[in-house]
Amino acid sequence: MIDNKTIVLTGASSGIGFEVLKLLAQGKGNRILAVARHVDNIKYFADNVTAWPCDISTQAGVDALFRKAEELFGIIDIFYANAGFPYYEEFNYTDWDRIDAMFRTNTISPIYTYAKYIAHLNGRAGILAYTVSAIGEMAMPGYAIYSSSKFALNGFQQAIRMEKPDNLQITCLYPVATDTNFFKVANAVEFEKPFPVQKPSTVAKKMVKGIEEGAERVSPCGLFGLSKVLMGALPPVKTVYLNMEKAKLERFKQKLSQYHNRLHADAAAAVEHGRELGSQIREKNREVVGELEERAEKVRGEIEEKAAKAREEIKDRIHGV
Ligand SMILES: NC(=O)c1ccc[n+]([C@@H]2O[C@H](COP(=O)([O-])OP(=O)(O)OC[C@H]3O[C@@H](n4cnc5c(N)ncnc54)[C@H](OP(=O)(O)O)[C@@H]3O)[C@@H](O)[C@H]2O)c1
């Protein structure tokens, strides 16, 4: 159990981060600054938890987060940079901003956080935790941008371990597929998750234990470690596994194209319906205008008739005088 610590936890509102938050909040004397862009669901989580909305994908966001933590705690004993998100897709576009958004959140923000945290500690003991990913060690089809963002973070933590001061512990988590919002965020169209899938509570328990024990890396799925050894010794096993994942991507692409076709068909039907409505409205308009003109003609006739009558009466009266 982690006790008597001041802790910053990003990505605390959901999934792995939320399960970590539950465990840390139980620790005696812990105080936690729990961060996500939307924190409504953790606002009143516990007395020792301060929920704070913050976008960690910008320098201003991370700087503000350090200021807030320093204001609350003075010293940050543990900084857990867990926030991150995936895309599941065929990488076939030239959208700079889309690529940039992922690297800002998954890679640049945790790297920048390291430098900020070292400066904050100023020689004091501290723990920096990262949620990397099994996909940051083994690339997967459908996750090209996500994989590369996590490979980059993994490369950073490997290199920085050789430079970091002794007062800093770095603990990295390498989850396999974990049943969180991750897969909803990755694509609006549902897709098959990679094998195997773990519960976020299992992953969180192992990570909290790893942080407490000073582990450098936490691989919550034993099967992944075993299969890495097996795939290293027997490369065809890796080929079979990755072919399974490629087949999933192919099925997803077909599903996506059916989905797009359906959207196009729905859009075309909506346009056709709009056209039909337009012509009905024009027809109705013509009818109404026709009726109004007829009525106006009738009223004009009646007025002219009354005016003629009035003229006659006036004439009669003048003659009578
Ligand atoms: N689930 C998996 O299969 C899996 C596998 C390997 C690694 N991971 C990694 O595990 C970490 C946690 O993911 P999860 O599976 O728990 O997914 P999740 O349920 O979607 O949680 C992601 C959390 O990060 C927050 N977040 C995202 N972008 C943010 C930003 N710019 N600023 C602040 N907070 C942000 C989200 O809240 P808001 O949207 O409100 O900001 C949410 O609290 C991520 O780094 C992910 O890459 C997940």
Side-chain angles (χ1 to χ4, degrees):
M1 182 65 87
I2 294 173
D3 294 319
N4 297 314
K5 293 281 185 279
T6 53
I7 304 160
V8 175
L9 172 63
T10 73
S13 66
S14 163
I16 297 170
F18 185 60
E19 294 299 327
V20 168
L21 178 66
K22 284 187 200 167
L23 296 173
L24 294 178
Q26 287 164 19
K28 214 170 62 191
N30 285 340
R31 284 183 297 149
I32 305 149
L33 178 56
V35 172
R37 286 165 302 181
H38 318 95
V39 289
D40 281 356
N41 68 321
I42 51 170
K43 235 183 198 163
Y44 307 106
F45 187 78
D47 289 346
N48 58 346
V49 173
T50 304
W52 199 61
C54 174
D55 182 349
I56 56 85
S57 70
T58 65
Q59 179 179 359
V62 178
D63 288 347
L65 177 53
F66 270 89
R67 275 198 303 275
K68 177 74 184 176
E70 283 163 358
E71 205 180 282
L72 271 181
F73 308 142
I75 294 162
I76 308 165
D77 296 318
I78 303 175
F79 196 115
Y80 187 172
N82 162 70
F85 74 98
Y87 301 137
Y88 184 73
E89 61 191 5
E90 181 186 21
F91 180 59
N92 57 2
Y93 52 81
T94 51
D95 183 340
W96 184 286
D97 290 344
R98 185 171 165 85
I99 302 165
D100 184 56
M102 175 148 293
F103 273 81
R104 276 194 287 112
T105 304
N106 292 1
T107 317
I108 299 171
S109 174
I111 290 175
Y112 179 73
T113 294
Y114 166 85
K116 288 281 295 186
Y117 192 42
I118 288 290
H120 166 83
L121 288 175
N122 194 21
R124 288 184 298 262
I127 300 174
L128 177 62
Y130 284 148
T131 299
V132 190
S133 172
I135 285 182
E137 293 192 304
M138 188 173 124
M140 295 273 266
Y143 295 93
I145 304 303
Y146 179 68
S147 270
S148 49
S149 73
K150 293 288 186 173
F151 261 78
L153 180 59
N154 196 32
F156 173 74
Q157 71 79 26
Q158 276 178 22
I160 211 66
R161 274 182 202 287
M162 295 183 266
E163 292 182 22
K164 74 170 187 62
D166 292 340
N167 59 304
L168 183 72
Q169 169 190 324
I170 302 180
T171 300
C172 292
L173 174 68
Y174 294 83
V176 295
T178 309
D179 199 7
T180 68
N181 276 338
F182 181 93
F183 293 99
K184 291 192 187 102
V185 170
N187 204 302
V189 175
E190 212 181 318
F191 59 93
E192 297 165 78
K193 299 178 179 103
F195 173 81
V197 180
Q198 286 197 297
K199 284 199 291 199
S201 54
T202 308
V203 173
K205 239 181 252 162
K206 296 202 174 170
M207 181 54 172
V208 170
K209 189 160 177 277
I211 292 172
E212 192 189 352
E213 290 175 352
E216 285 193 0
R217 57 170 294 134
V218 175
S219 256
C221 176
L223 192 62
F224 179 67
L226 204 70
S227 57
K228 258 189 4 188
V229 174
L230 194 68
M231 286 173 187
L234 288 170
V237 176
K238 187 170 183 178
T239 310
V240 170
Y241 176 73
L242 289 179
N243 280 345
M244 263 168 45
E245 295 303 327
K246 275 195 222 167
K248 286 181 188 170
L249 180 62
E250 284 310 311
R251 285 194 289 275
F252 171 71
K253 279 159 59 183
Q254 274 169 22
K255 190 173 174 184
L256 199 63
S257 100
Q258 282 161 6
Y259 175 76
H260 284 150
N261 289 345
R262 234 187 2 259
L263 278 185
H264 281 136
D266 288 353
V271 168
E272 190 47 42
H273 184 60
R275 258 193 217 124
E276 215 167 276
L277 273 180
S279 80
Q280 282 174 12
I281 289 167
R282 277 192 297 279
E283 182 56 33
K284 195 78 200 155
N285 277 348
R286 271 196 294 275
E287 275 174 36
V288 171
V289 168
E291 271 171 31
L292 285 176
E293 279 174 355
E294 216 172 276
R295 239 185 269 165
E297 194 53 41
K298 207 170 148 200
V299 171
R300 198 182 313 128
E302 285 168 7
I303 290 170
E304 274 171 11
E305 207 174 292
K306 277 187 189 157
K309 239 189 221 166
R311 274 197 303 274
E312 282 309 313
E313 274 177 28
I314 290 166
K315 256 193 223 161
D316 289 351
R317 270 193 220 159
I318 291 169
H319 287 142
V321 171

